[in-house]
Each structure stands twice: as structure tokens, then as C-alpha cells.
Amino acid sequence: MRRKIVAGNWKMNTLLPEGEVLVKQLEFLTEELESDVEIIIAPPFTHLAVLGKYIKETKMKIALAAQNCADQEKGAFTGEVSAAMLRNLGCKFVILGHSERREYYAENNESLYKKINLVINEGMQPIFCVGEKLEERQANRHFEVVAQQIKDVLYRLRGVELDNVIVAYEPVWAIGTGMTATSDQAEEMHAYIRRVIGDKFGEHADRIPILYGGSCKPSNASEIFSKSNVDGGLIGGASLDAQDFVAIVKSF
Ligand code: PEP
């Protein structure tokens, strides 16, 4: 039985007071929730200290994630935030390799490999994003592209390290576009990702949670989550609405 996970990526949205309201709404909506789904939120860096403290004090059943971290441990890296700093604020997870970071901030596999190691060494879990662009899917290269992303980064880990990783399959053409992959497209890719991981890591692949991300919302979540290789979702836009986000959690 694999873990079930729904993670909300707030991206660069909300001012801190708005983030506080959103967390209080989530607290209210999840108070009575009896669920085996792990709920994660990834607010902006600037919110983590305050929201981390609130989550800890109220014992909310929601875990905190960051959206990125530095690829260096510490030192003269102006503007960067280290994995240790995030751990210290109560983060349990760090999203790494999101397509927006690969696309707009030239995130590369070498840097991602360093980040994954730093996050794991701090006792946190990376949520490692992979996914193809529209032109790559149209050229029927989507399997090849995703396999390469996995090989370039995850294949360099040891099996025990891989056990801390969560993979998020996020077709770039589905992120923030309203175009969702069909549940069959998602299942096909998730099964493929598990096979690629299994080729190197054997049975570790059976345990790794693989989340789907890309315009996931209450109306399509249950169909997507019903697939056997889909272990949850990485939710962007819909995670900014507490009702929608919790409705997605309840879709399992
Ligand atoms: C994301 O950015 O991780 C994402 C899945 O966004 P959205 O749900 O808005 O498509």
C-alpha cells in the first residue's frame, strides 16, 4: 500500500496575511477529516516561519513544504535559502525541479542533484518534478524526455535515498492552462516512470509515490486518482482555494 499525498503549490501567490487566512480555512475544513491522505502545502519562503509556527502550535495535520532551495549548504550565496534553514522552520518537504524553475530560472539537472542530496541530508523529502513540453508530446518524445529527467538525477541516488523521494509528473502543457492530461495519459506515464525507476532500483519503485500535477481540480481529481499508479496530486491554482483544495483531498 503506497502513501497517498495531496500537495498544494502556492507559487508566488498570497501576501502573508492572506496565507494565514488560507491556513486557518484549511484548519477548519480538515479538523474533522478522517483521511489517510497526507496533506502538504508549499507557501512562499516569506510565509514559512509564521505558518510553520502556527501549524506546529495547532497540531494541524498538514505538513509544510518549500518550493525550492539552494544547491549549496551555506555561505556567500546572496539571495539563496538553504535546506537547513527550511528544515529549521519546520519544512518536511521541498519541491524541486518544477517546470517553472527549469524554464525561467535555468534549473539544471546537476543543480537538482545537489539540491536533492541536501534536502535528504536534512531529513526532508524532495518532491521531484518531471514532465514534457507540448512540442515534445506532439513529437511523441514524452517518454524519452521524462526518462532522461529521471536518469540524470534520480539514477545517481542510492536506493535508501530514493525511498525519501516523491515524484510529481507534471506535463508542462497542463500546468496552469486548464488542459488536464486524461486519466489514461496520466496512468500511462506514471506506470512508465515506475518502470524506469524499477529498471535501476528494483522493488524501491513499488514504494515511491508518484503524484500527478497539471490543472487538477475537484471536478477531475477523483478520476485521475482512481488510477493505480497515481498516488495523489501536486496542485497549483486550486490549492489557493481552501474549499477546492480540501475537495481534492476528499476525492481519494
Ligand atoms: C503546479 O504548478 O505544480 C500545478 C500543477 O499547477 P496547476 O494546478 O495550476 O496547473
Short mmCIF file of all heavy atoms in Angstrom, two decimals, residues 7-11 95 98-100 129 168-172 174-179 212-217 233-239, ligand 1:
data_model
loop_
_atom_site.label_atom_id
_atom_site.label_comp_id
_atom_site.label_asym_id
_atom_site.label_seq_id
_atom_site.Cartn_x
_atom_site.Cartn_y
_atom_site.Cartn_z
N ALA A 7 -0.51 17.69 -2.42
CA ALA A 7 0.36 18.82 -2.05
C ALA A 7 -0.07 20.06 -2.83
O ALA A 7 -0.34 19.99 -4.03
CB ALA A 7 1.81 18.48 -2.39
N GLY A 8 -0.17 21.18 -2.12
CA GLY A 8 -0.57 22.44 -2.76
C GLY A 8 0.64 23.34 -2.98
O GLY A 8 1.35 23.67 -2.03
N ASN A 9 0.86 23.70 -4.22
CA ASN A 9 1.97 24.61 -4.56
C ASN A 9 1.39 26.01 -4.76
O ASN A 9 0.74 26.28 -5.77
CB ASN A 9 2.62 24.11 -5.87
CG ASN A 9 3.69 25.06 -6.37
OD1 ASN A 9 4.13 25.97 -5.66
ND2 ASN A 9 4.12 24.85 -7.61
N TRP A 10 1.61 26.87 -3.77
CA TRP A 10 1.02 28.21 -3.83
C TRP A 10 1.75 29.12 -4.81
O TRP A 10 1.27 30.19 -5.14
CB TRP A 10 1.04 28.87 -2.44
CG TRP A 10 0.16 28.22 -1.41
CD1 TRP A 10 -0.50 27.03 -1.52
CD2 TRP A 10 -0.14 28.73 -0.11
NE1 TRP A 10 -1.20 26.76 -0.35
CE2 TRP A 10 -0.99 27.80 0.53
CE3 TRP A 10 0.23 29.88 0.59
CZ2 TRP A 10 -1.49 27.98 1.82
CZ3 TRP A 10 -0.25 30.07 1.88
CH2 TRP A 10 -1.11 29.13 2.48
N LYS A 11 2.92 28.72 -5.24
CA LYS A 11 3.76 29.54 -6.14
C LYS A 11 3.98 30.92 -5.54
O LYS A 11 4.03 31.07 -4.32
CB LYS A 11 3.14 29.61 -7.54
CG LYS A 11 2.72 28.24 -8.07
CD LYS A 11 2.43 28.27 -9.53
CE LYS A 11 1.87 26.93 -9.96
NZ LYS A 11 1.84 26.76 -11.39
N ILE A 95 9.79 21.12 -2.85
CA ILE A 95 9.52 20.87 -4.27
C ILE A 95 10.79 21.22 -5.05
O ILE A 95 11.38 22.29 -4.82
CB ILE A 95 8.35 21.77 -4.77
CG1 ILE A 95 7.05 21.44 -4.02
CG2 ILE A 95 8.15 21.62 -6.28
CD1 ILE A 95 5.89 22.40 -4.32
N HIS A 98 10.57 22.04 -10.42
CA HIS A 98 9.29 22.44 -11.03
C HIS A 98 9.58 23.04 -12.41
O HIS A 98 10.58 23.72 -12.60
CB HIS A 98 8.58 23.46 -10.13
CG HIS A 98 7.17 23.71 -10.55
ND1 HIS A 98 6.85 24.53 -11.61
CD2 HIS A 98 5.98 23.25 -10.07
CE1 HIS A 98 5.54 24.55 -11.77
NE2 HIS A 98 4.99 23.77 -10.85
N SER A 99 8.69 22.80 -13.36
CA SER A 99 8.96 23.24 -14.74
C SER A 99 9.13 24.76 -14.83
O SER A 99 9.87 25.25 -15.69
CB SER A 99 7.85 22.78 -15.67
OG SER A 99 6.64 23.38 -15.29
N GLU A 100 8.48 25.50 -13.92
CA GLU A 100 8.65 26.96 -13.95
C GLU A 100 10.08 27.32 -13.55
O GLU A 100 10.64 28.29 -14.07
CB GLU A 100 7.62 27.63 -13.03
CG GLU A 100 6.23 27.59 -13.65
CD GLU A 100 5.08 27.60 -12.65
OE1 GLU A 100 5.30 27.93 -11.48
OE2 GLU A 100 3.96 27.27 -13.07
N CYS A 129 9.95 17.10 -9.59
CA CYS A 129 9.01 17.26 -10.71
C CYS A 129 9.65 16.90 -12.04
O CYS A 129 10.78 17.31 -12.32
CB CYS A 129 8.52 18.70 -10.79
SG CYS A 129 7.77 19.30 -9.28
N ALA A 168 6.72 13.94 -8.92
CA ALA A 168 5.48 14.56 -9.43
C ALA A 168 5.60 14.62 -10.95
O ALA A 168 6.52 15.24 -11.48
CB ALA A 168 5.30 15.96 -8.85
N TYR A 169 4.68 13.93 -11.64
CA TYR A 169 4.63 14.03 -13.10
C TYR A 169 3.74 15.21 -13.45
O TYR A 169 2.53 15.20 -13.16
CB TYR A 169 4.08 12.74 -13.73
CG TYR A 169 3.76 12.94 -15.20
CD1 TYR A 169 4.74 13.39 -16.08
CD2 TYR A 169 2.48 12.74 -15.70
CE1 TYR A 169 4.46 13.63 -17.43
CE2 TYR A 169 2.18 12.95 -17.04
CZ TYR A 169 3.18 13.41 -17.89
OH TYR A 169 2.88 13.65 -19.21
N GLU A 170 4.35 16.21 -14.05
CA GLU A 170 3.61 17.42 -14.40
C GLU A 170 3.86 17.77 -15.87
O GLU A 170 4.85 18.43 -16.19
CB GLU A 170 4.07 18.59 -13.52
CG GLU A 170 3.88 18.36 -12.05
CD GLU A 170 3.67 19.68 -11.32
OE1 GLU A 170 4.55 20.56 -11.38
OE2 GLU A 170 2.62 19.83 -10.70
N PRO A 171 2.98 17.30 -16.76
CA PRO A 171 3.14 17.68 -18.16
C PRO A 171 3.07 19.21 -18.27
O PRO A 171 2.10 19.82 -17.80
CB PRO A 171 1.96 17.00 -18.87
CG PRO A 171 1.01 16.57 -17.80
CD PRO A 171 1.76 16.51 -16.51
N VAL A 172 4.10 19.81 -18.85
CA VAL A 172 4.21 21.27 -18.83
C VAL A 172 2.99 21.92 -19.50
O VAL A 172 2.50 22.96 -19.07
CB VAL A 172 5.53 21.72 -19.49
CG1 VAL A 172 5.67 23.24 -19.49
CG2 VAL A 172 6.72 21.10 -18.77
N ALA A 174 0.05 21.12 -19.31
CA ALA A 174 -1.17 21.06 -18.47
C ALA A 174 -1.08 21.99 -17.27
O ALA A 174 -2.06 22.15 -16.54
CB ALA A 174 -1.39 19.62 -18.00
N ILE A 175 0.09 22.61 -17.04
CA ILE A 175 0.25 23.41 -15.83
C ILE A 175 -0.33 24.82 -16.03
O ILE A 175 0.13 25.57 -16.90
CB ILE A 175 1.73 23.51 -15.42
CG1 ILE A 175 2.25 22.12 -15.05
CG2 ILE A 175 1.92 24.47 -14.25
CD1 ILE A 175 3.69 22.08 -14.64
N GLY A 176 -1.34 25.11 -15.24
CA GLY A 176 -1.95 26.44 -15.25
C GLY A 176 -2.67 26.76 -16.55
O GLY A 176 -3.02 27.91 -16.81
N THR A 177 -2.91 25.77 -17.40
CA THR A 177 -3.52 26.02 -18.70
C THR A 177 -4.99 25.63 -18.75
O THR A 177 -5.68 25.98 -19.69
CB THR A 177 -2.80 25.19 -19.79
OG1 THR A 177 -2.90 23.81 -19.43
CG2 THR A 177 -1.34 25.59 -19.92
N GLY A 178 -5.42 24.84 -17.76
CA GLY A 178 -6.79 24.32 -17.80
C GLY A 178 -6.85 23.03 -18.61
O GLY A 178 -7.86 22.33 -18.62
N MET A 179 -5.76 22.71 -19.33
CA MET A 179 -5.71 21.46 -20.11
C MET A 179 -5.16 20.35 -19.22
O MET A 179 -3.97 20.36 -18.88
CB MET A 179 -4.73 21.60 -21.28
CG MET A 179 -5.31 22.17 -22.53
SD MET A 179 -3.98 22.62 -23.66
CE MET A 179 -3.34 21.02 -24.11
N TYR A 212 0.34 13.32 -9.67
CA TYR A 212 0.05 14.00 -10.94
C TYR A 212 -0.15 15.49 -10.68
O TYR A 212 -0.79 15.88 -9.69
CB TYR A 212 -1.23 13.42 -11.59
CG TYR A 212 -1.66 14.30 -12.74
CD1 TYR A 212 -1.00 14.23 -13.96
CD2 TYR A 212 -2.64 15.29 -12.56
CE1 TYR A 212 -1.33 15.10 -15.00
CE2 TYR A 212 -2.97 16.15 -13.59
CZ TYR A 212 -2.32 16.06 -14.81
OH TYR A 212 -2.62 16.92 -15.82
N GLY A 213 0.37 16.32 -11.57
CA GLY A 213 0.12 17.76 -11.46
C GLY A 213 -0.16 18.37 -12.82
O GLY A 213 0.49 18.02 -13.82
N GLY A 214 -1.13 19.26 -12.86
CA GLY A 214 -1.47 19.94 -14.11
C GLY A 214 -2.96 20.14 -14.21
O GLY A 214 -3.69 19.23 -14.60
N SER A 215 -3.41 21.34 -13.78
CA SER A 215 -4.83 21.70 -13.85
C SER A 215 -5.73 20.67 -13.17
O SER A 215 -6.84 20.38 -13.64
CB SER A 215 -5.26 21.94 -15.30
OG SER A 215 -4.52 23.00 -15.86
N CYS A 216 -5.25 20.14 -12.07
CA CYS A 216 -6.06 19.20 -11.28
C CYS A 216 -7.05 20.02 -10.45
O CYS A 216 -6.67 21.04 -9.85
CB CYS A 216 -5.13 18.40 -10.38
SG CYS A 216 -5.90 16.97 -9.67
N LYS A 217 -8.30 19.64 -10.43
CA LYS A 217 -9.34 20.39 -9.70
C LYS A 217 -10.37 19.41 -9.16
O LYS A 217 -10.32 18.22 -9.50
CB LYS A 217 -9.96 21.45 -10.60
CG LYS A 217 -10.20 21.05 -12.03
CD LYS A 217 -10.62 22.25 -12.87
CE LYS A 217 -10.92 21.84 -14.31
NZ LYS A 217 -9.75 21.75 -15.17
N GLY A 233 -1.74 14.15 -5.91
CA GLY A 233 -1.61 15.28 -6.82
C GLY A 233 -0.73 16.39 -6.28
O GLY A 233 -0.63 16.59 -5.06
N LEU A 234 -0.09 17.10 -7.20
CA LEU A 234 0.57 18.36 -6.88
C LEU A 234 -0.33 19.43 -7.52
O LEU A 234 -0.51 19.44 -8.73
CB LEU A 234 1.99 18.40 -7.44
CG LEU A 234 2.80 19.67 -7.18
CD1 LEU A 234 2.86 20.03 -5.71
CD2 LEU A 234 4.23 19.52 -7.72
N ILE A 235 -0.89 20.26 -6.66
CA ILE A 235 -1.98 21.13 -7.09
C ILE A 235 -1.51 22.58 -7.06
O ILE A 235 -1.05 23.07 -6.03
CB ILE A 235 -3.20 21.00 -6.12
CG1 ILE A 235 -3.47 19.53 -5.74
CG2 ILE A 235 -4.43 21.69 -6.68
CD1 ILE A 235 -3.83 18.62 -6.86
N GLY A 236 -1.64 23.28 -8.18
CA GLY A 236 -1.25 24.69 -8.22
C GLY A 236 -2.44 25.58 -7.93
O GLY A 236 -2.82 25.79 -6.77
N GLY A 237 -3.05 26.10 -8.97
CA GLY A 237 -4.14 27.07 -8.85
C GLY A 237 -5.20 26.70 -7.82
O GLY A 237 -5.59 27.52 -6.98
N ALA A 238 -5.66 25.47 -7.87
CA ALA A 238 -6.77 25.06 -6.99
C ALA A 238 -6.35 24.98 -5.52
O ALA A 238 -7.21 24.91 -4.64
CB ALA A 238 -7.35 23.71 -7.45
N SER A 239 -5.05 25.03 -5.24
CA SER A 239 -4.63 24.97 -3.83
C SER A 239 -4.78 26.33 -3.14
O SER A 239 -4.64 26.43 -1.92
CB SER A 239 -3.19 24.48 -3.70
OG SER A 239 -2.28 25.44 -4.15
C1 PEP B 1 1.84 23.21 -10.49
O1 PEP B 1 2.30 24.32 -10.69
O2 PEP B 1 2.52 22.39 -9.86
C2 PEP B 1 0.50 22.91 -11.00
C3 PEP B 1 0.14 21.67 -11.08
O3 PEP B 1 -0.27 23.99 -11.34
P1 PEP B 1 -1.83 23.96 -11.77
O4 PEP B 1 -2.53 23.01 -10.87
O5 PEP B 1 -2.30 25.36 -11.60
O6 PEP B 1 -1.87 23.51 -13.19
#
